[in-house]
Amino acid sequence: MNSHVRHENSAADLDAAMQIAIGAAESARGFTSPNPAVGAVVLDSAGRIAGVGMTQPPGGPHAEVVALREAGDAARGGTAVVTLEPCNHHGRTGPCSQALLDAGVVAVHYAVGDPNPEAAGGAETLVSAGVEVTSGLRAQDVERGPLRAWLHRQRTGRPHVTWKYAATLDGRSAAADGTSQWITGPEARERVHADRAKLDAIVVGTGTVLADDPRLTARMPDGSLAAHQPVRVVVGLGDIPADARVLDDSAPTLLLRTRDVDEVLAALAEYTDVLLEGGPRLAGAFLAAGRVDRIQAYLAPLVLGAGTSAVTEAGVHTIGGALRFRHESVETIGPDLLLSLVPAVSDNPDSHRT
Ligand code: AOF
Ligand code: ZN
């Protein structure tokens, strides 16, 4: 290692760099599947930002390599801040651990270890070469944020399922006459479209297609299509009309003639980040099967007093059997609330959940 005294990055500088890396990773979500969306920042030897990178589409360079290229010679004696442990394998690209060593980086701070056994080991390689390595910086933000679905799939082998719905204060997703448009305000709708543009697949039941004729595309505020469109998936035994909007050519569409939740997930095994958008029966089936990994509940300050519930038939018959969730975050979005919830760990031994 260099014997001269080098600039020591403060904890605040590293934290700021990690926040930039997380932002970079977020911007790549939707474009990297099946690879994780990773972000990287390279600081020069004086602690200034010299390069920022994010994972490129499969076959393209990893985040670290993009950031190192931008930094060029400024990486020598510098520091890399990365959301995921640098890979150690010759996959579609060379090992990032080696790229960091070749560039002369002397410190690496990453948030989350790589659970993929093929790619893991980057930290060890770097330490063996005399690089200062730490892990855990903003790990929770990364685990809940850009790497959430990918980590879930690495752990379980299944896509990560978010059930998203909008409902009134009394839990209705449609009025008595079936009308359901504009429960939430324009701010929430914009958020939904921005989130859609980062997904791999959106799932709905045939009933929703018949009732609402949704497009299920990710659109920009001006109505144009976002750069990335998730695959649209329609689940159910019933037919949908040939002129349903979900069958237009703005995004690919998959028709799954089943009602079994695990058959749906098996058919979607190549996807990582999946959104379940309704309707109430499909949501109930996923909830009953314990296959909802996160809920995004948009609560609008309206009362209908009648109309369709957001969920029907979730397999619960008594209060003791209620499916319980805890909130990860609560946001206000215009006039609405967005609750992000995850399954509460159950202490009920009869529960299907663990
Ligand atoms: C990193 N930086 O930006 C990403 C990493 O098929 P490959 O060669 O592209 O490798 C994919 C694996 O590499 C992936 O499963 C994960 O373990 C790691 N992804 N690693 O150092 C990155 N995207
Ligand atoms: Zn890599």
Side-chain angles (χ1 to χ4, degrees):
M1 291 246 340
N2 295 345
S3 54
H4 68 265
V5 178
R6 78 176 172 94
H7 167 85
E8 284 294 333
N9 296 296
S10 71
D13 288 345
L14 294 177
D15 188 63
M18 185 60 88
Q19 290 194 57
I20 292 169
I22 290 171
E26 269 298 323
S27 74
R29 265 183 59 212
F31 297 97
T32 65
S33 225
N35 282 351
V38 177
V41 170
V42 171
L43 305 173
D44 68 15
S45 60
R48 292 174 302 229
I49 291 177
V52 179
M54 66 288 283
T55 311
Q56 300 301 298
H62 286 179
E64 298 90 321
V65 170
V66 175
L68 287 171
R69 277 183 197 161
E70 193 192 333
D73 283 345
R76 200 152 295 282
T79 296
V81 175
V82 197
T83 57
L84 180 66
E85 178 186 353
C87 71
N88 202 36
H89 73 309
H90 280 275
R92 277 171 281 205
T93 66
C96 289
S97 51
Q98 196 56 49
L100 291 161
L101 292 175
D102 292 346
V105 164
V106 298
V108 174
H109 305 280
Y110 64 90
V112 179
D114 193 330
N116 174 4
E118 264 171 50
E124 236 175 80
T125 297
L126 290 162
V127 169
S128 304
V131 173
E132 176 198 345
V133 177
T134 71
S135 67
L137 184 58
R138 289 210 172 244
Q140 191 185 67
D141 292 347
V142 171
E143 284 163 2
R144 290 180 174 187
L147 286 183
R148 177 190 201 102
W150 184 78
L151 288 171
H152 172 90
R153 184 159 174 246
Q154 293 288 315
R155 267 198 313 271
T156 66
R158 287 189 305 267
H160 180 277
V161 176
T162 299
W163 170 45
K164 187 225 84 179
Y165 71 96
T168 63
L169 292 175
D170 50 327
R172 318 265 179 189
S173 286
D177 66 354
T179 51
S180 65
Q181 267 197 321
W182 315 154
I183 287 176
T184 52
E187 296 89 345
R189 290 201 297 276
E190 197 171 308
R191 168 70 172 267
V192 164
H193 280 280
D195 284 348
R196 276 182 180 176
K198 298 175 175 183
L199 293 166
D200 298 318
I202 302 185
V203 180
V204 295
T206 50
T208 296
V209 172
L210 294 173
D212 300 343
D213 196 17
R215 276 173 283 184
L216 300 181
T217 51
R219 297 184 293 279
M220 309 297 283
D222 68 3
S224 63
L225 290 174
H228 169 74
Q229 296 296 325
V231 172
R232 301 175 291 190
V233 182
V234 180
V235 173
L237 302 178
D239 291 323
I240 60 170
D243 63 351
R245 292 202 275 199
V246 78
L247 297 176
D248 70 15
D249 57 8
S250 45
T253 301
L254 201 62
L255 303 176
L256 297 179
R257 295 189 70 85
T258 176
R259 280 211 299 246
D260 179 87
V261 170
D262 280 326
E263 270 184 35
V264 172
L265 290 177
L268 300 181
E270 68 181 282
Y271 301 107
T272 303
D273 201 348
V274 170
L275 189 72
L276 176 62
E277 283 230 12
R281 265 199 310 162
L282 192 62
F286 270 78
L287 286 162
R291 291 288 184 256
V292 171
D293 304 304
R294 172 173 56 177
I295 300 177
Q296 287 179 332
Y298 286 89
L299 258 194
L302 315 175
V303 169
L304 282 167
T308 317
S309 157
V311 194
T312 50
E313 284 303 318
V316 178
H317 307 288
T318 180
I319 192 74
L323 309 178
R324 291 178 190 275
F325 296 83
R326 62 179 172 79
H327 63 259
E328 231 178 48
S329 68
V330 179
E331 296 169 69
T332 56
I333 302 189
D336 305 310
L337 285 180
L338 170 55
L339 313 182
S340 292
L341 307 147
V342 294
V345 178
S346 171
D347 49 12
N348 173 0
D350 297 332
S351 168
H352 57 267
R353 269 183 284 170
T354 51

